């Protein structure tokens, strides 16, 4: 947004000294506090113009290192007051941020944000998705100002926001955020897992299965593999159960599945409570030796009781 540059750097006013700027730039409003005297003002974006209380940004006099504000002239008034902001020379490690009514700085700031992340993750696990997303946005905003998008904590906060939005069925925000995460960390298994979750919520089950497979391929030994496998299994079940074969009981269209994947699913899937477990699946046979032959449809019927994986081998 047009206000994002104001929260991506530290600013110093020629007239008011060091400034603290905080808020969500997507809301089109930011709060500005002068450290020296504690005075507060606000920046607003209205119809592609940016205002600082009774001042208006002068685009012709501003650049990426300097912002010039000129007082809005009213009829009958003479003269023009100007205020100039520059990028502050204060190092990021010594900078402060405002969170609520408290000021946090240095290592204590990072420790506080890490504690916030744990709190947000616990809220998500309890199904308190709105609270989790608010915590995630607070973390991301704070790090957006005083860190960089490559910060591991920033990525964790963005993934928490993506998962929270997806859980609240805000699929637009969930997909947008997780797409950004994938661009920043394409080899991080958590990004692909979050993508699988977002796609599952959006009922794109085939794509969700592929995302979870990628996540499992990238998951390190210390990663939460069991959690991802459980989520992948839900996506597989939703994919099959979304395609029941008309006028047939417990029969589903699995034409896009391979026999190996389908059999693996049958061995792992325990079924849903109070619902009959899928047993019959329609597939297509295609010879690997004689390419170009027409596919031959067939029906796979799951044995009852199902054989164990050891017996299958």
């Amino acid at each position: 947004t047009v206000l994002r540059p104001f929260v991506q750097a530290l600013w110093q006013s020629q007239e008011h000294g060091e400034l603290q700027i905080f808020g969500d730039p997507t809301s089109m409003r930011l709060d500005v506090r002068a450290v020296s005297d504690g005075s507060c003002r606000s920046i607003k974006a209205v119809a592609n113009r940016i205002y600082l209380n009774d001042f208006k940004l002068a685009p012709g006099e501003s650049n990426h290192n300097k912002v010039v504000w000129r007082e809005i002239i009213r009829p009958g008034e003479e003269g023009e007051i100007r205020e100039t902001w520059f990028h502050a020379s204060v190092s990021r490690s010594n900078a402060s941020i405002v969170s609520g009514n408290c000021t946090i700085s240095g290592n204590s700031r990072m420790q506080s944000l890490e504690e916030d992340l744990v709190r947000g993750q616990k809220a998500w696990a309890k199904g308190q998705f709105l609270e989790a997303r608010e915590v995630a946005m607070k973390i991301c905003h704070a790090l957006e100002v005083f860190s960089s998008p490559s910060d591991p904590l920033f990525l964790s906060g963005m993934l928490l926001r993506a998962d929270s939005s997806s859980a609240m069925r805000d699929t637009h925000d969930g997909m947008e955020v997780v797409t950004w995460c994938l661009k920043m960390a394409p080899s991080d298994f958590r990004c692909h897992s979050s993508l699988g979750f977002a796609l599952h919520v959006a009922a794109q089950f085939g794509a969700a299965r592929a995302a979870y497979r990628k996540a499992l391929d990238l998951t390190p030994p210390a990663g939460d593999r069991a959690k991802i496998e459980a989520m992948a299994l839900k996506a597989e079940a939703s994919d099959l159960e979304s395609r029941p074969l008309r006028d047939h009981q417990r029969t589903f269209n699995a034409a896009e599945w391979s026999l190996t994947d389908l059999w693996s699913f049958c061995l792992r899937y325990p079924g849903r409570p109070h619902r009959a477990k899928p047993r019959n699946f329609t597939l297509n046979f295609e010879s690997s030796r004689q390419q170009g032959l027409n596919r031959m449809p067939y029906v796979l019927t799951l044995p009852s009781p199902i054989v164990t994986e050891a017996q299958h081998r």
Side-chain angles (χ1 to χ4, degrees), residues 46-97:
V46 181
N48 294 324
R49 295 184 178 182
I50 303 175
Y51 298 90
L52 174 68
N53 283 26
D54 293 331
F55 289 78
K56 182 172 67 175
L57 187 143
E61 301 175 69
S62 304
N63 54 48
H64 65 284
N65 286 320
K66 179 181 73 172
V67 173
V68 176
W69 304 94
R70 287 196 175 275
E71 187 182 28
I72 300 172
I73 302 301
R74 296 176 176 81
E77 292 185 357
E78 296 182 0
E80 193 175 59
I81 301 174
R82 186 174 72 171
E83 179 176 343
T84 306
W85 292 3
F86 297 94
H87 278 202
S89 58
V90 181
S91 67
R92 291 180 181 272
S93 60
N94 294 326
S96 306
I97 64 170

Side-chain angles (χ1 to χ4, degrees), residues 239-252:
D239 187 23
L240 286 171
E241 293 175 355
S242 68
R243 294 181 290 180
L245 204 62
R246 189 176 178 180
D247 299 327
H248 291 75
Q249 291 187 349
R250 300 170 63 182
T251 304
F252 300 87

